[in-house]
Amino acid sequence: MPPKQVQKNPMKDKIQIVAAVLILIGGLAAFYLLADKPMIARVGAMLGLFVVAGLVGYYSAPGREFGQYAVESVDEAKKVVWPSRKETLQSTGVIFVFVLIMALFLWVVDWSLTFFLTKFIGQG
């Protein structure tokens, strides 16, 4: 199924995006302006205005393009072959062992350099 062609009206899109941003800011402002109200009312007002801002933004051409992009991203993520739990644990174990070996190696190198330099310089 081909993606829907979105008619572009740059001025209308800009107005819708600005309106969505202003509504989003209004949602944040509502949360703080309703400080004397119960928390559920504050969060409800903020989330309600966020939803309205999302809807206003979605009905612009860039908003629909973003929505289509999000749907395609989810579809691509479903195609990924994720490692099993056993493979993940084995890989993690190998990484921990490697990091431990490297830490010990670097500690030995640091200690030996410090030891020989202090003997060479004559301090200690």
Side-chain angles (χ1 to χ4, degrees):
M1 182 164 122
K4 294 179 184 178
Q5 293 296 323
V6 179
Q7 291 182 353
K8 294 189 178 189
N9 184 344
M11 190 58 165
K12 179 184 169 209
D13 291 337
K14 287 179 184 176
I15 291 171
Q16 281 182 297
I17 290 173
V18 167
V21 169
L22 290 175
I23 294 170
L24 192 71
I25 292 170
L28 288 173
F31 181 81
Y32 290 106
L33 291 174
L34 298 173
D36 58 334
K37 304 293 181 200
M39 183 60 75
I40 188 93
R42 296 172 67 193
V43 171
M46 181 181 70
L47 290 179
L49 287 171
F50 281 8
V51 168
V52 170
L55 289 172
V56 169
Y58 176 76
Y59 285 107
S60 68
R64 288 188 185 199
E65 288 173 5
F66 177 76
Q68 185 65 31
Y69 173 76
V71 168
E72 291 172 3
S73 296
V74 170
D75 290 341
E76 285 297 318
K78 290 178 182 177
K79 295 177 186 178
V80 174
V81 179
W82 298 101
S84 67
R85 179 178 173 85
K86 182 180 176 184
E87 292 170 332
T88 303
L89 291 174
Q90 286 176 343
S91 299
T92 304
V94 168
I95 291 169
F96 277 125
V97 169
F98 178 76
V99 167
L100 180 65
I101 291 170
M102 284 303 297
L104 288 172
F105 171 74
L106 291 173
W107 176 73
V108 167
V109 169
D110 181 55
W111 181 84
S112 59
L113 285 173
T114 302
F115 177 77
F116 288 117
L117 283 176
T118 54
K119 292 297 180 189
F120 179 72
I121 294 173
Q123 298 175 353

